[in-house]
Short mmCIF file of all heavy atoms in Angstrom, two decimals:
data_model
loop_
_atom_site.label_atom_id
_atom_site.label_comp_id
_atom_site.label_asym_id
_atom_site.label_seq_id
_atom_site.Cartn_x
_atom_site.Cartn_y
_atom_site.Cartn_z
N ILE A 11 11.74 7.28 -9.26
CA ILE A 11 11.89 8.66 -9.69
C ILE A 11 10.71 9.47 -9.18
O ILE A 11 9.58 8.98 -9.16
CB ILE A 11 12.01 8.76 -11.22
CG1 ILE A 11 12.38 10.17 -11.66
CG2 ILE A 11 10.74 8.32 -11.90
CD1 ILE A 11 12.72 10.27 -13.14
N LEU A 12 10.99 10.69 -8.70
CA LEU A 12 9.96 11.65 -8.35
C LEU A 12 10.15 12.85 -9.28
O LEU A 12 11.27 13.35 -9.42
CB LEU A 12 10.09 12.11 -6.90
CG LEU A 12 9.91 11.05 -5.82
CD1 LEU A 12 10.19 11.64 -4.44
CD2 LEU A 12 8.52 10.46 -5.87
N VAL A 13 9.07 13.28 -9.92
CA VAL A 13 9.15 14.38 -10.87
C VAL A 13 8.07 15.40 -10.53
O VAL A 13 6.89 15.05 -10.40
CB VAL A 13 8.93 13.90 -12.33
CG1 VAL A 13 9.15 15.05 -13.30
CG2 VAL A 13 9.81 12.73 -12.67
N LYS A 14 8.49 16.67 -10.36
CA LYS A 14 7.53 17.75 -10.19
C LYS A 14 7.42 18.46 -11.54
O LYS A 14 8.41 18.96 -12.08
CB LYS A 14 7.98 18.75 -9.13
CG LYS A 14 6.93 19.82 -8.84
CD LYS A 14 7.42 20.86 -7.84
CE LYS A 14 7.59 20.24 -6.48
NZ LYS A 14 8.03 21.24 -5.48
N ILE A 15 6.20 18.48 -12.07
CA ILE A 15 5.94 19.00 -13.41
C ILE A 15 5.00 20.20 -13.31
O ILE A 15 3.98 20.11 -12.61
CB ILE A 15 5.28 17.92 -14.29
CG1 ILE A 15 6.13 16.65 -14.28
CG2 ILE A 15 5.04 18.43 -15.70
CD1 ILE A 15 5.36 15.40 -14.60
N ARG A 16 5.35 21.28 -14.01
CA ARG A 16 4.41 22.40 -14.08
C ARG A 16 3.22 21.92 -14.90
O ARG A 16 3.39 21.45 -16.02
CB ARG A 16 5.04 23.62 -14.73
CG ARG A 16 4.08 24.82 -14.71
CD ARG A 16 4.67 26.12 -15.20
NE ARG A 16 5.94 26.50 -14.61
CZ ARG A 16 6.12 27.05 -13.42
NH1 ARG A 16 5.07 27.26 -12.63
NH2 ARG A 16 7.31 27.39 -12.99
N ALA A 17 2.04 22.02 -14.33
CA ALA A 17 0.83 21.53 -15.00
C ALA A 17 -0.33 22.46 -14.68
O ALA A 17 -1.00 22.31 -13.67
CB ALA A 17 0.52 20.11 -14.57
N LYS A 18 -0.53 23.41 -15.57
CA LYS A 18 -1.69 24.30 -15.44
C LYS A 18 -2.92 23.52 -15.88
O LYS A 18 -2.83 22.40 -16.38
CB LYS A 18 -1.46 25.54 -16.28
CG LYS A 18 -0.26 26.34 -15.81
CD LYS A 18 -0.03 27.56 -16.65
CE LYS A 18 1.20 28.28 -16.11
NZ LYS A 18 1.67 29.33 -16.93
N ASP A 19 -4.07 24.10 -15.70
CA ASP A 19 -5.33 23.44 -16.03
C ASP A 19 -5.33 22.85 -17.44
O ASP A 19 -5.82 21.75 -17.66
CB ASP A 19 -6.51 24.41 -15.88
CG ASP A 19 -6.74 24.79 -14.43
OD1 ASP A 19 -6.28 24.06 -13.53
OD2 ASP A 19 -7.38 25.83 -14.19
N THR A 20 -4.74 23.56 -18.40
CA THR A 20 -4.77 23.12 -19.79
C THR A 20 -3.85 21.92 -20.04
O THR A 20 -4.08 21.15 -20.96
CB THR A 20 -4.35 24.27 -20.73
OG1 THR A 20 -3.08 24.77 -20.30
CG2 THR A 20 -5.38 25.39 -20.70
N ASP A 21 -2.80 21.76 -19.23
CA ASP A 21 -1.83 20.67 -19.41
C ASP A 21 -2.11 19.46 -18.53
O ASP A 21 -1.62 18.36 -18.80
CB ASP A 21 -0.41 21.15 -19.09
CG ASP A 21 0.06 22.26 -19.98
OD1 ASP A 21 -0.40 22.31 -21.13
OD2 ASP A 21 0.88 23.08 -19.52
N ARG A 22 -2.85 19.67 -17.48
CA ARG A 22 -2.99 18.64 -16.44
C ARG A 22 -3.46 17.29 -16.98
O ARG A 22 -2.88 16.26 -16.67
CB ARG A 22 -3.93 19.15 -15.35
CG ARG A 22 -3.91 18.28 -14.11
CD ARG A 22 -4.75 18.88 -13.00
NE ARG A 22 -4.45 20.27 -12.73
CZ ARG A 22 -3.51 20.68 -11.86
NH1 ARG A 22 -2.80 19.81 -11.21
NH2 ARG A 22 -3.30 21.96 -11.67
N GLN A 23 -4.50 17.26 -17.80
CA GLN A 23 -5.04 15.99 -18.28
C GLN A 23 -4.03 15.24 -19.15
O GLN A 23 -3.92 14.01 -19.07
CB GLN A 23 -6.36 16.20 -19.04
CG GLN A 23 -7.08 14.91 -19.34
CD GLN A 23 -7.32 14.06 -18.09
OE1 GLN A 23 -7.83 14.54 -17.08
NE2 GLN A 23 -6.95 12.80 -18.14
N ALA A 24 -3.27 15.96 -19.96
CA ALA A 24 -2.27 15.32 -20.81
C ALA A 24 -1.17 14.68 -19.97
O ALA A 24 -0.74 13.55 -20.23
CB ALA A 24 -1.67 16.34 -21.78
N VAL A 25 -0.72 15.38 -18.94
CA VAL A 25 0.31 14.83 -18.04
C VAL A 25 -0.24 13.61 -17.30
O VAL A 25 0.44 12.59 -17.17
CB VAL A 25 0.82 15.90 -17.05
CG1 VAL A 25 1.75 15.27 -16.01
CG2 VAL A 25 1.53 17.02 -17.79
N LEU A 26 -1.46 13.70 -16.85
CA LEU A 26 -2.09 12.56 -16.16
C LEU A 26 -2.20 11.35 -17.09
O LEU A 26 -2.02 10.20 -16.65
CB LEU A 26 -3.47 12.94 -15.62
CG LEU A 26 -3.48 13.93 -14.45
CD1 LEU A 26 -4.90 14.39 -14.16
CD2 LEU A 26 -2.81 13.34 -13.23
N SER A 27 -2.47 11.57 -18.36
CA SER A 27 -2.57 10.48 -19.33
C SER A 27 -1.22 9.79 -19.51
O SER A 27 -1.14 8.56 -19.56
CB SER A 27 -3.07 10.99 -20.67
OG SER A 27 -4.39 11.45 -20.56
N VAL A 28 -0.16 10.58 -19.62
CA VAL A 28 1.18 10.00 -19.74
C VAL A 28 1.52 9.20 -18.49
O VAL A 28 2.03 8.08 -18.56
CB VAL A 28 2.25 11.10 -19.99
CG1 VAL A 28 3.66 10.52 -19.92
CG2 VAL A 28 2.01 11.78 -21.33
N ALA A 29 1.21 9.75 -17.32
CA ALA A 29 1.48 9.05 -16.06
C ALA A 29 0.72 7.73 -16.00
O ALA A 29 1.26 6.70 -15.57
CB ALA A 29 1.10 9.94 -14.88
N GLU A 30 -0.53 7.73 -16.46
CA GLU A 30 -1.35 6.51 -16.44
C GLU A 30 -0.76 5.43 -17.35
O GLU A 30 -0.74 4.25 -16.99
CB GLU A 30 -2.77 6.85 -16.86
CG GLU A 30 -3.72 5.69 -16.72
CD GLU A 30 -5.15 6.08 -17.10
OE1 GLU A 30 -5.56 7.23 -16.82
OE2 GLU A 30 -5.84 5.22 -17.68
N ILE A 31 -0.29 5.82 -18.50
CA ILE A 31 0.31 4.86 -19.44
C ILE A 31 1.47 4.13 -18.78
O ILE A 31 1.65 2.92 -18.96
CB ILE A 31 0.79 5.58 -20.72
CG1 ILE A 31 -0.41 6.05 -21.54
CG2 ILE A 31 1.70 4.68 -21.55
CD1 ILE A 31 -0.05 7.02 -22.65
N PHE A 32 2.26 4.85 -17.96
CA PHE A 32 3.43 4.26 -17.32
C PHE A 32 3.13 3.68 -15.94
O PHE A 32 4.03 3.24 -15.24
CB PHE A 32 4.54 5.32 -17.20
CG PHE A 32 5.26 5.55 -18.49
CD1 PHE A 32 4.78 6.46 -19.42
CD2 PHE A 32 6.42 4.86 -18.78
CE1 PHE A 32 5.43 6.68 -20.62
CE2 PHE A 32 7.09 5.07 -19.97
CZ PHE A 32 6.59 5.98 -20.90
N ARG A 33 1.86 3.72 -15.55
CA ARG A 33 1.43 3.24 -14.23
C ARG A 33 2.12 4.00 -13.11
O ARG A 33 2.50 3.44 -12.07
CB ARG A 33 1.66 1.74 -14.07
CG ARG A 33 0.83 0.92 -15.03
CD ARG A 33 0.93 -0.56 -14.71
NE ARG A 33 0.21 -1.32 -15.70
CZ ARG A 33 0.74 -2.30 -16.39
NH1 ARG A 33 2.00 -2.66 -16.20
NH2 ARG A 33 0.03 -2.94 -17.28
N ALA A 34 2.31 5.29 -13.33
CA ALA A 34 2.90 6.16 -12.32
C ALA A 34 1.81 6.58 -11.34
O ALA A 34 0.62 6.52 -11.65
CB ALA A 34 3.51 7.39 -12.99
N ARG A 35 2.25 7.02 -10.17
CA ARG A 35 1.31 7.49 -9.15
C ARG A 35 1.44 9.00 -9.01
O ARG A 35 2.54 9.54 -8.99
CB ARG A 35 1.63 6.85 -7.79
CG ARG A 35 1.33 5.37 -7.75
CD ARG A 35 1.62 4.76 -6.39
NE ARG A 35 1.15 5.62 -5.32
CZ ARG A 35 1.62 5.58 -4.07
NH1 ARG A 35 2.57 4.73 -3.75
NH2 ARG A 35 1.16 6.39 -3.15
N ILE A 36 0.31 9.66 -8.87
CA ILE A 36 0.30 11.09 -8.60
C ILE A 36 0.34 11.24 -7.07
O ILE A 36 -0.56 10.78 -6.37
CB ILE A 36 -0.97 11.77 -9.17
CG1 ILE A 36 -1.12 11.45 -10.66
CG2 ILE A 36 -0.92 13.27 -8.90
CD1 ILE A 36 0.03 11.87 -11.52
N LEU A 37 1.40 11.88 -6.57
CA LEU A 37 1.56 12.03 -5.13
C LEU A 37 1.07 13.36 -4.60
O LEU A 37 0.70 13.47 -3.43
CB LEU A 37 3.05 11.87 -4.75
CG LEU A 37 3.69 10.53 -5.09
CD1 LEU A 37 5.15 10.53 -4.66
CD2 LEU A 37 2.95 9.38 -4.44
N ASP A 38 1.11 14.38 -5.47
CA ASP A 38 0.70 15.71 -5.02
C ASP A 38 0.13 16.49 -6.20
O ASP A 38 0.69 16.44 -7.30
CB ASP A 38 1.89 16.47 -4.44
CG ASP A 38 1.49 17.83 -3.90
OD1 ASP A 38 0.71 17.87 -2.94
OD2 ASP A 38 1.96 18.84 -4.46
N VAL A 39 -0.96 17.17 -5.94
CA VAL A 39 -1.57 18.03 -6.95
C VAL A 39 -1.68 19.42 -6.35
O VAL A 39 -2.29 19.59 -5.30
CB VAL A 39 -2.97 17.52 -7.37
CG1 VAL A 39 -3.59 18.47 -8.38
CG2 VAL A 39 -2.89 16.11 -7.91
N ALA A 40 -1.06 20.39 -7.01
CA ALA A 40 -1.17 21.79 -6.60
C ALA A 40 -1.84 22.54 -7.76
O ALA A 40 -2.05 21.98 -8.83
CB ALA A 40 0.21 22.36 -6.29
N SER A 41 -2.11 23.79 -7.55
CA SER A 41 -2.80 24.56 -8.59
C SER A 41 -1.98 24.70 -9.86
O SER A 41 -2.54 24.85 -10.94
CB SER A 41 -3.18 25.94 -8.06
OG SER A 41 -2.00 26.66 -7.71
N ASP A 42 -0.66 24.61 -9.75
CA ASP A 42 0.18 24.79 -10.93
C ASP A 42 1.19 23.68 -11.17
O ASP A 42 2.07 23.80 -12.01
CB ASP A 42 0.91 26.13 -10.84
CG ASP A 42 1.81 26.21 -9.62
OD1 ASP A 42 1.70 25.34 -8.73
OD2 ASP A 42 2.62 27.14 -9.55
N SER A 43 1.09 22.58 -10.40
CA SER A 43 2.07 21.50 -10.58
C SER A 43 1.53 20.16 -10.10
O SER A 43 0.53 20.09 -9.38
CB SER A 43 3.36 21.82 -9.82
OG SER A 43 3.13 21.80 -8.42
N LEU A 44 2.23 19.10 -10.52
CA LEU A 44 1.95 17.73 -10.08
C LEU A 44 3.26 17.09 -9.65
O LEU A 44 4.31 17.35 -10.25
CB LEU A 44 1.40 16.88 -11.23
CG LEU A 44 0.08 17.25 -11.87
CD1 LEU A 44 -0.10 16.45 -13.16
CD2 LEU A 44 -1.05 16.97 -10.91
N VAL A 45 3.22 16.23 -8.65
CA VAL A 45 4.37 15.41 -8.30
C VAL A 45 4.01 13.98 -8.65
O VAL A 45 2.99 13.45 -8.19
CB VAL A 45 4.77 15.53 -6.82
CG1 VAL A 45 5.91 14.56 -6.49
CG2 VAL A 45 5.16 16.96 -6.48
N VAL A 46 4.85 13.36 -9.48
CA VAL A 46 4.60 12.02 -9.99
C VAL A 46 5.69 11.08 -9.49
O VAL A 46 6.87 11.43 -9.48
CB VAL A 46 4.59 12.03 -11.54
CG1 VAL A 46 4.32 10.64 -12.08
CG2 VAL A 46 3.56 13.01 -12.06
N GLU A 47 5.29 9.87 -9.08
CA GLU A 47 6.21 8.83 -8.65
C GLU A 47 6.16 7.69 -9.66
O GLU A 47 5.07 7.25 -10.04
CB GLU A 47 5.80 8.30 -7.28
CG GLU A 47 6.57 7.08 -6.82
CD GLU A 47 5.94 6.44 -5.59
OE1 GLU A 47 4.80 5.95 -5.68
OE2 GLU A 47 6.60 6.45 -4.55
N LEU A 48 7.33 7.21 -10.08
CA LEU A 48 7.39 6.10 -11.01
C LEU A 48 8.52 5.18 -10.60
O LEU A 48 9.62 5.64 -10.29
CB LEU A 48 7.60 6.61 -12.44
CG LEU A 48 7.68 5.56 -13.55
CD1 LEU A 48 6.38 4.77 -13.65
CD2 LEU A 48 8.00 6.22 -14.87
N THR A 49 8.24 3.89 -10.59
CA THR A 49 9.24 2.88 -10.27
C THR A 49 9.37 1.93 -11.44
O THR A 49 8.37 1.56 -12.06
CB THR A 49 8.82 2.07 -9.02
OG1 THR A 49 8.58 2.98 -7.95
CG2 THR A 49 9.88 1.07 -8.62
N GLY A 50 10.60 1.52 -11.74
CA GLY A 50 10.79 0.57 -12.81
C GLY A 50 12.24 0.50 -13.26
O GLY A 50 13.13 1.02 -12.59
N GLU A 51 12.44 -0.13 -14.39
CA GLU A 51 13.77 -0.22 -14.96
C GLU A 51 14.18 1.14 -15.51
O GLU A 51 13.32 1.96 -15.85
CB GLU A 51 13.80 -1.27 -16.07
CG GLU A 51 13.54 -2.67 -15.56
CD GLU A 51 13.54 -3.71 -16.66
OE1 GLU A 51 13.66 -3.34 -17.85
OE2 GLU A 51 13.41 -4.89 -16.34
N GLN A 52 15.47 1.37 -15.61
CA GLN A 52 15.96 2.67 -16.06
C GLN A 52 15.40 3.07 -17.43
O GLN A 52 15.08 4.23 -17.65
CB GLN A 52 17.49 2.67 -16.08
CG GLN A 52 18.09 2.68 -14.69
CD GLN A 52 19.59 2.64 -14.70
OE1 GLN A 52 20.20 1.90 -15.47
NE2 GLN A 52 20.20 3.43 -13.85
N ARG A 53 15.27 2.10 -18.34
CA ARG A 53 14.71 2.40 -19.66
C ARG A 53 13.31 2.99 -19.56
O ARG A 53 12.95 3.92 -20.28
CB ARG A 53 14.63 1.14 -20.52
CG ARG A 53 15.92 0.59 -21.01
CD ARG A 53 15.66 -0.60 -21.89
NE ARG A 53 14.58 -1.42 -21.31
CZ ARG A 53 14.48 -2.71 -21.42
NH1 ARG A 53 15.36 -3.38 -22.11
NH2 ARG A 53 13.49 -3.38 -20.88
N LYS A 54 12.50 2.42 -18.69
CA LYS A 54 11.13 2.90 -18.50
C LYS A 54 11.13 4.33 -17.98
O LYS A 54 10.38 5.18 -18.48
CB LYS A 54 10.39 1.97 -17.53
CG LYS A 54 8.98 2.39 -17.20
CD LYS A 54 8.35 1.43 -16.20
CE LYS A 54 6.96 1.85 -15.80
NZ LYS A 54 6.37 0.92 -14.82
#
């Protein structure tokens, strides 16, 4: 799955924390968004 999430400065750390818990990779960081890659079972 690839997910582009709106992430302003105030939200960015929280989104990064969720991504880290799931062992997701951050593929792109822009001033107002992040692109996250996650591989796994559908439940995950």
